[in-house]
Amino acid sequence: MHVLNVRQESWPRPAATRVLTVANQKGGVGKTTSAVNIAAALAMHGLRVLLLDLDPQGNASTALGIEHTVGTPSIYDVLLGGRPLAEVGQQADFAPTLTCIPATLDLAGADIELTSQVAREYRLQRALTAYLATDAEFDYVLIDCPPSLGLLTLNALVAAREVLIPIQCEYYALEGLAQLLNTVDLVTSHLNPELKVTTVLLTMYDSRTRLADQVADEVRRHFGPLVLEPVIPRNVRVSEAPGFGQTVITYDAGSRGAIGYVQAAREIAERGAPNSDSEGAPVSTSE
Ligand code: ADP
Ligand code: MG
């Protein structure tokens, strides 16, 4: 277990809690890796972070070293049992200001079980609003979504104000994004008018391939200033870390993957600073 003793600089706190849903219905694009490492980086720089694992695979819980065997109090109990979030949160060992709401395999049937529930799209929003109204104070809430646009992801979009889309610098990177953006639009019009795509993160960038550059350029053309400047390189340390129940930042802080995630998280924090009016919106640099 690596506990970081080095005193880290503090990053700015947002004026109000920022709730970001990390979504992309494609699997394997870096949602979980991004959610976990951004959460860790923010927490290690003094911010209070809540990470909600909404994927039955529980990969985010694993990467944070959080207990999530079947039967562990989890997000399932919150969504389907009405249990308060406060009762199922666990603190990460390596960062006292990082709380994780674990997901267990119990969640695997939740998309279907939720279908017959009252206010099925609002369950997470209600639980989160209730939690944030208590003295639990968080600067950031990050929600890791499963690779689908089902009711779990819908709950995450309804509970959030911001969407963070990780895009893998690979073939077909933009394929399927229209569907995600369409879903976000539907949520904005019918369920949660506050929701906006504020942040796009390029992941698994391989500097040796021309393709990665082409994808990155195309994403920047399409999403403009929503795209974070730092790009996450493809780096084997990133994929090794979860096997040790760790984030790449605790596993190998000097790796290119860790550095990429710390830089990305810093930009997220800076964009959310009270004196920055951007919250991910276009920042004018021409004045
Ligand atoms: P998702 O949550 O979108 O399904 P993951 O975050 O689980 O995607 O990433 C998919 C796989 O790619 C995982 O095995 C992960 O460890 C690996 N991976 C993610 N980002 C990187 C990276 N920057 N470099 C190398 N491997 C990565
Ligand atoms: Mg995942």
Side-chain angles (χ1 to χ4, degrees), residues 22-37 55 59-60 144-147 166 168 202-205 232-243 248 256-257 261:
V22 182
N24 188 329
Q25 78 276 19
K26 261 195 191 182
V29 299
K31 285 182 291 299
T32 300
T33 307
S34 300
V36 155
N37 286 293
D55 187 339
N59 293 336
D144 183 30
C145 288
Q168 183 182 358
L202 293 162
T203 65
M204 291 183 244
Y205 176 84
I232 309 302
R234 183 176 281 285
N235 173 222
V236 68
R237 309 301 266 171
V238 174
S239 52
E240 286 169 6
V248 71
R256 291 181 311 119
Y261 272 117

Side-chain angles (χ1 to χ4, degrees), residues 2-245:
H2 296 227
V3 176
L4 244 75
N5 296 316
V6 193
R7 215 180 151 68
Q8 308 270 350
E9 60 171 331
S10 295
W11 290 346
R13 277 184 207 300
T17 309
R18 287 178 73 188
V19 184
L20 293 101
T21 282
V22 182
N24 188 329
Q25 78 276 19
K26 261 195 191 182
V29 299
K31 285 182 291 299
T32 300
T33 307
S34 300
V36 155
N37 286 293
I38 290 168
L42 292 169
M44 289 160 118
H45 290 83
L47 297 167
R48 299 158 299 185
V49 183
L50 178 67
L51 186 128
L52 293 162
D53 189 349
L54 226 58
D55 187 339
Q57 298 298 320
N59 293 336
S61 311
T62 303
L64 293 174
I66 297 288
E67 165 83 47
H68 65 106
T69 48
V70 169
T72 306
S74 70
I75 192 72
Y76 177 86
D77 304 294
V78 173
L79 293 174
L80 285 136
R83 208 163 163 180
L85 281 166
E87 289 181 13
V88 308
Q90 295 181 46
Q91 202 183 79
D93 283 343
F94 66 93
T97 59
L98 175 53
T99 303
C100 175
I101 306 295
T104 64
L105 274 177
D106 299 306
L107 198 61
D111 253 321
I112 292 164
E113 287 176 65
L114 277 169
T115 312
S116 58
Q117 300 285 318
V118 181
R120 58 192 184 177
E121 298 97 349
Y122 293 96
R123 301 225 138 199
L124 186 62
Q125 185 194 58
R126 288 180 181 177
L128 185 58
T129 306
Y131 193 21
L132 295 177
T134 66
D135 53 6
E137 288 182 20
F138 292 102
D139 300 305
Y140 282 85
V141 178
L142 293 171
I143 309 176
D144 183 30
C145 288
S148 75
L149 294 172
L151 270 173
L152 286 172
T153 298
L154 216 48
N155 264 271
L157 293 172
V158 172
R161 297 188 68 153
E162 303 183 48
V163 185
L164 186 166
I165 307 178
I167 298 180
Q168 183 182 358
C169 298
E170 254 304 342
Y171 281 115
Y172 311 124
L174 295 169
E175 200 184 69
L177 274 184
Q179 209 189 344
L180 172 61
L181 297 176
N182 203 17
T183 303
V184 172
D185 282 346
L186 283 171
V187 170
T188 306
S189 338
H190 299 290
L191 302 167
N192 174 17
E194 311 277 9
L195 188 71
K196 271 195 288 194
V197 176
T198 61
T199 315
V200 173
L201 176 62
L202 293 162
T203 65
M204 291 183 244
Y205 176 84
D206 185 344
S207 56
R208 294 164 305 180
T209 69
R210 183 188 293 253
L211 174 73
D213 274 328
Q214 286 167 357
V215 172
D217 287 349
E218 196 178 341
V219 170
R220 287 193 194 278
R221 258 199 313 279
H222 197 271
F223 288 101
L226 301 188
V227 186
L228 295 176
E229 200 53 47
V231 168
I232 309 302
R234 183 176 281 285
N235 173 222
V236 68
R237 309 301 266 171
V238 174
S239 52
E240 286 169 6
F244 296 90

